[in-house]
Amino acid sequence: PSSTLHAAVSATIKDDCEFNHSSSGTTGILVSGAAASAIIKDNDASIDGYAIGVDVDAATATVENNHIYNNGIGVRFTNGGDGTVTKNKFYDGAELNGKDVQITSTGGSVTAGPDNWYAGSTYGVENLSATSVDATLNYWNAADGPGPVGSGSGTPITTLVEYCQYLNDVPTHL
């Protein structure tokens, strides 16, 4: 189905749910509010075509083993929103996210790895907060790691993104 989920308390979205939209300006999955939490897991069909694929707004989310592409922002954490992003494929071959993961200046504690395939056209991980984000053991769409803050030629990252050690090939589970 193509819809937006608003998690009031807790929700689990798993096992090949498909969220797609043909125009930008909307949110695929919204997890909102201090009492809200979600597990978004094993959706390899897709979360694509949104302004924001998964928006964690003042809530907590585990985003694991999904196919998230063709969004302005794949996963965003804002207003104290926190969680983990692991084992996701942010790549489709042609339709990239603008930013795969974004932590806004008001975002909470986020772990952005391991085993993600980052390929965002603007950023793999954009960290606008004052706190460092662990994004180690990910593939940055290049064998030599992320750039330009990183030493490689892969998907760009911002400062305060810990990327070493990185994977030099696509994670095996993808």
Side-chain angles (χ1 to χ4, degrees):
S2 177
S3 63
T4 300
L5 170 78
H6 299 271
V9 177
S10 67
T12 299
I13 303 165
K14 66 179 279 187
D15 296 332
D16 293 328
C17 292
E18 185 170 348
F19 292 84
N20 54 43
H21 197 268
S22 61
S23 65
S24 61
T26 58
T27 299
I29 300 170
L30 174 63
V31 187
S32 179
S37 66
I39 298 171
I40 303 160
K41 182 176 181 176
D42 298 332
N43 299 297
D44 61 0
S46 71
I47 301 170
D48 73 278
Y50 296 95
I52 302 172
V54 178
D55 196 4
V56 184
D57 186 349
T60 299
T62 299
V63 182
E64 180 180 332
N65 199 32
N66 301 287
H67 189 193
I68 305 169
Y69 66 95
N70 192 32
N71 300 290
I73 300 171
V75 181
R76 179 177 80 163
F77 293 89
T78 191
N79 296 321
D82 62 19
T84 60
V85 179
T86 59
K87 300 181 180 178
N88 296 286
K89 183 178 180 183
F90 293 96
Y91 183 72
D92 151 275
E95 301 177 283
L96 306 175
N97 294 307
K99 301 170 184 178
D100 293 327
V101 173
Q102 181 188 63
I103 302 95
T104 69
S105 62
T106 61
S109 176
V110 175
T111 301
D115 294 326
N116 293 299
W117 181 353
Y118 290 121
S121 61
T122 307
Y123 290 108
V125 177
E126 180 184 40
N127 183 9
L128 303 172
S129 77
T131 305
S132 185
V133 172
D134 182 355
T136 57
L137 297 173
N138 294 301
Y139 180 61
W140 300 93
N141 214 30
D144 60 354
V149 173
S151 59
S153 62
T155 302
I157 59 173
T158 60
T159 58
L160 295 176
V161 175
E162 298 173 19
Y163 64 91
C164 282
Q165 298 178 322
Y166 54 84
L167 303 177
N168 63 3
D169 204 349
V170 176
T172 56
H173 67 88
L174 299 174

